[in-house]
Amino acid sequence: MAELPPRYPRDFYGHGPDRPDAAWPGGARVAVSFVLNYEEGGENCLLHGDAASEAFLSEIVGAAPWPGQRHWNMESIYDYGARAGFWRLHRLFTDAGIPVTVYGVATALARSPAQVEAMQSAKWEIASHGLKWIDYKDHSEADEAADMDAAIALHTEVTGEAPRGWYTGRCSVNTVRLAAARGFDWISDTYDDDLPYWARLGDRDQLILPYTLDCNDMRFATPQGFNAGDQFFAYLRDTFDALYAEGAAGRPAMMSVGLHCRLIGRPGRVQALRRFIDYVQGFEGVWCARRQDIAAHWAETHPPVPARGWHMLDRAAFVETFGGIFEHSPWIAEGAHALELGPAHDTAQGLHNALCRVFRAASDEQRLDVLRAHPDLAGKLAAARRLTAESTEEQASAGLDALTDEERHQFDVMNSTYVAKHGFPFIIAVKDHDKAGILRAFERRIGNDSQTEMAEACRQVERIARLRLEALQ
């Protein structure tokens, strides 16, 4: 395959304007996933072989790493999460009968056997949160991959089974791809949707369960975050209300709630979480589920479908597929292929925009050539069966292949008059009209000045292109 022009990897389309029906069990209007990040004992610390102390997500807002030194206060704040916060949250969730997914840092789990046993006794899911809770943005791909493998091995030793889900959090651009290569049921290192989705990574269809940084108690430890539990509760409640209403309207989604033992586990904050749990449990049609349960449901209900992949076609295949979208003008498809295409162009509206950009950027003479490439309506080419397949089908859809002698004469006269005046055929997206409507438009537009008609004809050409692309979906 010839080298492709620039291709944009980020996907701005996703599920699109009409997201699929999640079909949650029992007809639930929203799925709520409570996630407890267990990081205490896995954070940056000289005791863990790191070069500096931890500086992220603690009561010491704005803390900086201490190179070569232990930060006693920072360590003790993290210790609180394991010693007190975890057990407070464990009692809260088990008393409420709500299942939890734990993002467990492998080294933290290894240092907390009592907590691991409590998680397992409560039938909580323990997913992997990496080997250590450190930032991987500056790690080499090889080093990050080695840490992933070590995390899986240690997690399996500590819990007795390999993790089925993965979330690094402080990740690199390589994280999701590396995790997918290790065969996880689900990966949550994205924040880009309210529903699960499939991503094609290498030769694997990988299920992605997007996570959250807004419905997350980490905002208690960041500037412009939550200052009090009431703010956290109000934000969770409003998010839930919005998603519940969308679910009632036939668009059920997923809500993730991110929690940390050392943050929400404090007495002054846990009441906000307790109020939210009570609030959610007051509604019918709410599925509180572990992420592995959501993943299993999605895989069964919405299995992966082959990606269309239009933006990844080589030039020859792209032009062969789309060269006839603009009548007898393959140069428009050639120009579109050279643009910076991405996943968002693998739809009728996306590719239509790319093709139209080329058409609109062309000279007046080039656009006139496109207009002149269109056949007359019900003209001699149609009678001789020399139209393109697209034009034949379009004209037939409006009944232009079954005219009376009088109607055919009327079209012949109007075609001749129109071309003589404007220099190009009368163009209209016939699939938008019936025969009578086409005749009315013909009679109305034939008297326009040529500049007005060229603008209208170009709009109609673009509309025809859109309809042709939609027929390919």
Side-chain angles (χ1 to χ4, degrees):
M1 179 185 293
E3 185 175 349
L4 290 172
R7 289 297 179 258
Y8 193 74
R10 292 164 63 189
D11 183 357
F12 292 126
Y13 187 78
H15 290 299
D18 300 312
R19 69 188 185 202
D21 181 356
W24 299 132
R29 297 180 179 183
V30 61
V32 181
S33 165
F34 289 95
V35 174
L36 183 59
N37 293 263
Y38 197 85
E39 300 157 348
E40 289 76 12
E43 79 280 5
N44 283 285
C45 178
L46 265 65
L47 297 175
H48 306 157
D50 300 304
S53 63
E54 186 56 67
F56 193 41
L57 292 191
S58 79
E59 304 300 324
I60 311 172
V61 178
W66 290 6
Q69 296 185 59
R70 290 176 63 187
H71 193 316
W72 187 262
N73 290 349
M74 182 66 72
E75 290 178 22
S76 66
I77 287 170
Y78 272 74
D79 292 351
Y80 181 92
R83 293 162 57 106
F86 171 81
W87 298 110
R88 181 171 287 119
L89 295 171
H90 185 268
R91 289 190 294 271
L92 173 59
F93 280 112
T94 53
D95 288 348
I98 290 181
V100 171
T101 292
V102 176
Y103 287 168
V105 175
T107 50
L109 296 175
R111 294 182 174 111
S112 298
Q115 289 87 340
V116 170
E117 183 175 286
M119 297 172 193
Q120 293 177 320
S121 295
K123 300 190 184 308
W124 290 1
E125 172 190 16
I126 308 177
S128 183
H129 197 6
L131 180 65
K132 300 167 67 174
W133 195 62
I134 58 177
D135 200 332
Y136 281 91
K137 67 180 178 64
D138 295 322
H139 280 56
S140 70
E141 183 173 338
D143 285 345
E144 184 176 4
D147 274 7
M148 272 191 185
D149 292 335
I152 295 167
L154 181 56
H155 186 110
T156 304
E157 291 175 12
V158 171
T159 69
E161 58 183 0
R164 295 164 57 186
W166 181 273
Y167 174 75
T168 294
R170 300 159 82 175
C171 61
S172 77
V173 71
N174 300 313
T175 300
V176 173
R177 177 172 49 80
L178 290 173
R182 281 150 180 80
F184 289 100
D185 290 351
W186 57 267
I187 298 171
S188 282
D189 275 300
T190 71
Y191 312 95
D192 54 2
D193 215 299
D194 296 316
L195 281 178
Y197 63 89
W198 296 96
R200 187 70 180 175
L201 297 170
D203 59 357
R204 175 178 171 81
D205 288 310
Q206 176 63 57
L207 183 59
I208 306 294
L209 268 60
Y211 188 45
T212 178
L213 294 182
D214 66 317
C215 293
N216 194 311
D217 67 357
M218 66 176 288
R219 294 183 60 199
F220 282 115
T222 58
Q224 295 300 311
F226 302 125
N227 293 318
D230 288 346
Q231 296 172 344
F232 186 47
F233 168 70
Y235 194 87
L236 295 183
R237 180 198 62 208
D238 288 350
T239 301
F240 174 83
D241 286 349
L243 294 176
Y244 192 84
E246 291 178 9
R251 297 184 300 278
M254 171 183 171
M255 178 181 179
S256 296
V257 181
L259 306 168
H260 299 75
C261 300
R262 65 192 175 279
L263 296 176
I264 199 66
R266 293 279 177 176
R269 298 183 183 126
V270 75
Q271 289 300 93
L273 178 60
R274 187 185 306 276
R275 287 197 297 273
F276 180 66
I277 289 173
D278 290 342
Y279 184 76
V280 167
Q281 290 187 320
F283 288 79
E284 295 290 336
V286 178
W287 184 38
C288 292
R290 302 172 301 179
R291 295 177 93 75
Q292 69 182 44
D293 302 320
I294 294 172
H297 169 82
W298 196 268
E300 180 180 354
T301 309
H302 297 283
V305 296
R308 187 174 287 122
W310 286 346
H311 76 287
M312 293 303 294
L313 292 174
D314 63 28
R315 185 174 182 272
F318 190 90
V319 174
E320 180 181 0
T321 305
F322 304 113
I325 297 298
F326 281 72
E327 191 85 358
H328 293 299
S329 302
W331 60 270
I332 294 178
E334 293 169 357
H337 187 262
L339 298 176
E340 182 197 74
L341 302 182
H345 295 97
D346 288 346
T347 63
Q349 60 265 55
L351 192 54
H352 182 252
N353 182 268
L355 293 166
C356 287
R357 284 177 56 190
V358 177
F359 179 59
R360 294 165 187 169
S363 66
D364 287 347
E365 190 58 38
Q366 286 175 310
R367 285 184 290 129
L368 272 172
D369 286 342
V370 175
L371 302 185
R372 290 166 179 155
H374 280 258
D376 290 334
L377 291 184
K380 294 178 180 178
L381 290 178
R385 300 186 182 277
R386 291 171 54 196
L387 299 179
T388 64
E390 294 86 353
S391 289
T392 298
E393 191 271 331
E394 289 158 359
Q395 294 203 21
S397 71
L400 300 187
D401 62 338
L403 300 177
T404 66
D405 290 342
E406 181 180 351
E407 288 171 334
R408 187 172 292 104
H409 176 72
Q410 186 178 8
F411 270 103
D412 287 343
V413 170
M414 288 194 294
N415 280 328
S416 298
T417 304
Y418 186 95
V419 172
K421 179 175 181 179
H422 301 300
F424 51 83
F426 175 77
I427 300 172
I428 191 170
V430 295
K431 283 194 171 183
D432 289 336
H433 306 273
D434 58 15
K435 182 168 54 180
I438 293 170
L439 283 169
R440 287 193 299 271
F442 217 148
E443 292 167 350
R444 183 181 69 253
R445 287 172 48 188
I446 203 165
N448 288 338
D449 62 85
S450 293
Q451 183 176 0
T452 298
E453 267 308 288
M454 181 171 178
E456 179 59 29
C458 287
R459 284 191 289 272
Q460 293 296 321
V461 163
E462 293 184 6
R463 175 61 181 162
I464 292 167
R466 176 60 176 267
L467 292 169
R468 291 179 176 181
L469 285 169
E470 289 177 353
L472 293 178
Q473 288 196 130

